[in-house]
Amino acid sequence: MTPSASAATAPADPSAYFADRILQIQESATIAMAKKSRELAAQGVDVINLSFGEPDFQTPQYIKDAAKKAIDDGYTFYTPVPGYLDLRQTICDKLLRDNELTYQPSQIVVSTGAKQALSNIIMTLINPGDEVIIFSPYWVSYAAQVELAEGVAVPIMGSLENDYKVTAAEFAAAITPRTKAVMYSSPCNPTGAVFSRQELGAIADVLAQHPGIFAIADEIYEYINFTSEHVSLAQFAQVKDQVITINGFSKGYAMTGWRLGYLAAHPVVAAACEKLQSQVTSGTCSIAQRAGLAALQGGRASADEMVQAYRRRRDLVLGLVKDIPGLVTPTPDGAFYIFPDVTAFFGRTAPDGTVITNSSDLTLYLLRDAHVAAVSGDAFGAPNCIRFSTAAADAKLTEAFARIKKILGALK
């Protein structure tokens, strides 16, 4: 075939041939806003990025050193699909130490980030048409991952008065004959809400009445918790076999770029996730696994130091927000976000005549005129809200909310 003939037969728009699944999903909103922020910054604009869910701390040095040693020690070959055995055993030790949960290494699957662990379990469990109840507000990828599996996402919204936490009664009312799973995070991204032992116990009681429903408990923010305790749903014996616990290293150990997460589940469920992963990525990065092993063996000291900073920043931001009429936010008990209701600004007009009709408009206005990046609540199932990350230096946070106050005050 000549070059000219090849060019003539090439499709004008390759997306016309794409699968429906890729055409129907949206890019992650947090990643999209971070991209816009970087584009503005590349133009010389002083953007303060409060959109990304990423610690601003460096990975602790002892973890970096373990990775360097792993390279020198020759950990450069394929790993077992579910992860090195000693890492999985150490994860079991961690779950016993921190969560009072007993697992065997065969029940652990290590993945390329907690996001892959979530994807593994959803693709393992969900058939076309199966319903997945999602406690809302929720992390941006939950609904998209369910839709990729051809399931039906069923968000149920917690009330502002209850810090956006869904109650057991609300959960029970949402269950139908097609319900296959329920998903939630605690501490929650985006609200920072933390379920108490009593609240999770009531949810466990509902779950126990439906042995065919699995619970996907996302505990990635476990260590960033300002309450007296972190409670795992799997601690309730009557539902342990129904619970898939998701966790990882990105938040508690500031290891976002290392891409290392894991799930803990019933051995049959774990084996199915391992089978799926064997056909998608196989085992995750060998060097990252050795670093994760060192992280867990090093305990929680570095994480606890970071938590002190996150608590101080939370309190700083809450004080600043009190000075901005119209932002209504509960006090987050964990994670590093605030998630204010911003409906007070809907229907108001910017100095250039732009009317703010929703949280997406407001987010774009903040980026354009205040040069502060945040994420619209639409992406989290809460269109009346905006998520701001507090994982930034005190000076950056103070400057960001000074800009926000000024710009919001300009709305008429």
Side-chain angles (χ1 to χ4, degrees), residues 44-365:
V45 177
D46 177 23
V47 177
I48 300 177
N49 189 351
L50 304 184
S51 69
F52 226 22
E54 181 167 43
D56 61 326
F57 296 101
Q58 278 287 321
T59 302
Q61 189 61 46
Y62 77 96
I63 300 174
K64 294 180 182 179
D65 290 342
K68 296 172 186 176
K69 184 176 185 298
I71 295 172
D72 291 338
D73 288 348
Y75 283 96
T76 59
F77 299 95
Y78 289 136
T79 77
V81 170
Y84 287 122
L85 178 59
D86 56 353
L87 173 57
R88 286 182 285 136
Q89 179 59 62
T90 302
I91 290 170
C92 292
D93 296 342
K94 177 265 174 213
L95 290 167
L96 182 61
R97 178 192 72 210
D98 294 345
N99 309 101
E100 300 176 6
L101 294 172
T102 300
Y103 286 97
Q104 300 301 317
S106 61
Q107 297 178 261
I108 308 298
V109 179
V110 177
S111 300
T112 306
K115 182 180 277 191
Q116 185 183 22
L118 285 164
S119 178
N120 281 349
I121 190 59
I122 291 169
M123 294 299 292
T124 295
L125 292 179
I126 304 306
N127 282 315
D130 285 346
E131 294 178 355
V132 179
I133 294 171
I134 303 176
F135 289 3
S136 179
Y138 52 80
W139 181 54
V140 294
S141 291
Y142 287 174
Q145 289 189 351
V146 170
E147 290 161 7
L148 279 171
E150 300 183 61
V152 179
V154 182
I156 52 174
M157 177 70 106
S159 68
L160 173 61
E161 295 73 24
N162 196 39
D163 295 339
Y164 294 115
K165 289 185 284 187
V166 173
T167 67
E170 291 166 336
F171 169 41
I175 294 172
T176 76
R178 296 205 65 87
T179 303
K180 177 67 75 68
V182 58
M183 301 177 69
Y184 74 94
S185 60
S186 180
C188 177
N189 175 5
T191 67
V194 176
F195 281 101
S196 69
R197 184 172 297 276
Q198 181 179 3
E199 289 165 334
L200 281 183
I203 289 168
D205 288 342
V206 173
L207 190 62
Q209 298 171 31
H210 302 273
I213 296 177
F214 292 87
I216 303 168
D218 183 351
E219 301 187 3
I220 191 67
Y221 289 91
E222 173 189 2
Y223 285 173
I224 307 173
N225 189 331
F226 312 130
T227 69
S228 58
E229 66 171 348
H230 170 81
V231 183
S232 295
L233 184 61
Q235 290 174 348
F236 297 90
Q238 70 270 35
V239 296
K240 182 182 177 184
D241 287 346
Q242 293 170 253
V243 178
I244 299 92
T245 300
I246 307 290
N247 211 324
F249 298 78
S250 59
K251 314 303 182 183
Y253 289 101
M255 293 176 67
T256 50
W258 300 76
R259 309 310 302 133
L260 192 65
Y262 61 88
L263 62 80
H266 185 285
V268 173
V269 175
C273 289
E274 177 183 346
K275 179 169 68 171
L276 175 67
Q277 184 165 293
S278 75
Q279 296 289 9
V280 179
T281 59
S282 297
T284 196
C285 172
S286 58
I287 309 305
Q289 289 191 53
R290 304 320 290 174
L293 176 67
L296 292 180
Q297 290 176 337
R300 293 183 52 165
S302 61
D304 291 342
E305 289 178 13
M306 288 186 277
V307 169
Q308 291 178 20
Y310 290 134
R311 184 193 295 270
R312 186 189 70 248
R313 293 167 178 179
R314 178 201 66 173
D315 294 343
L316 168 66
V317 168
L318 289 175
L320 296 170
V321 167
K322 284 180 182 177
D323 250 358
I324 306 177
L327 293 183
V328 181
T329 185
T331 298
D333 285 328
F336 40 67
Y337 309 103
I338 63 165
F339 198 62
D341 183 292
V342 294
T343 51
F345 302 99
F346 295 176
R348 297 172 68 174
T349 305
D352 69 350
T354 301
V355 178
I356 305 299
T357 60
N358 52 45
S359 61
S360 293
D361 290 345
L362 189 60
T363 302
L364 291 173
Y365 173 60

Side-chain angles (χ1 to χ4, degrees), residues 29-42:
T30 52
I31 292 174
M33 182 54 76
K35 184 189 299 183
K36 290 180 182 178
S37 303
R38 285 193 293 268
E39 289 170 352
L40 274 180

